[in-house]
């Protein structure tokens, strides 16, 4: 998973993000999930807070941020849904 913050007045585009990721990263390094945060939280030593993100995982019922899933069949990042989450958990969709 990648957690990113968008520039002001920018919208996430799943198709162009997929093209960019595909062009610059090998398959094993492409994030299957992209989480959009309004602000990236830092620790007192200016490191990114990752523990809470790891604990929350990729369950759309838990996460209130926008979350996208890498759909290799459609060649784009799609909005994460409970159906996609259930399919991943039941291994119908392999990561």
């Amino acid at each position: 998973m990648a957690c990113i913050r968008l520039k002001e007045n920018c919208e996430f585009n799943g198709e162009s993000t997929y093209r960019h990721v595909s062009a610059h990263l090998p398959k094993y390094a492409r994030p299957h999930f992209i989480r959009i945060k309004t602000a990236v939280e830092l620790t007192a030593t200016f490191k990114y807070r990752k523990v809470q993100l790891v604990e929350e995982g990729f369950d759309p019922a838990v996460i209130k941020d926008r979350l996208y899933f890498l759909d290799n069949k459609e060649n784009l990042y799609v909005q994460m849904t409970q159906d996609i989450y259930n399919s991943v958990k039941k291994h119908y969709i392999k990561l």
Side-chain angles (χ1 to χ4, degrees):
M1 180 183 294
C3 182
I4 61 173
R5 180 179 164 263
L6 299 175
K7 291 181 181 180
E8 279 190 49
N9 302 321
C10 286
E11 287 296 318
F12 182 80
N13 184 315
E15 190 175 340
S16 66
T17 303
Y18 179 86
R19 283 195 312 269
H20 181 80
V21 166
S22 297
H24 292 67
L25 295 174
K27 281 191 176 188
Y28 64 85
R30 296 175 190 164
H32 289 279
F33 305 97
I34 294 181
R35 184 172 176 172
I36 309 295
K37 299 281 286 178
T38 55
V40 179
E41 293 119 19
L42 301 173
T43 66
T45 56
F46 303 104
K47 296 178 183 172
Y48 294 113
R49 288 193 181 268
K50 296 175 275 192
V51 175
Q52 180 183 0
L53 298 175
V54 171
E55 289 173 352
E56 290 174 352
F58 61 98
D59 186 353
V62 174
I63 297 171
K64 302 304 177 213
D65 301 316
R66 289 182 291 157
L67 185 63
Y68 295 89
F69 174 72
L70 174 63
D71 188 339
N72 285 311
K73 292 178 184 172
E74 298 294 324
N75 294 336
L76 57 94
Y77 280 92
V78 296
Q79 183 86 35
M80 182 71 169
T81 63
Q82 196 64 43
D83 290 336
I84 294 172
Y85 175 78
N86 294 336
S87 295
V88 170
K89 292 301 271 186
K90 292 178 182 175
H91 303 285
Y92 297 144
I93 297 175
K94 297 191 181 203
L95 302 180

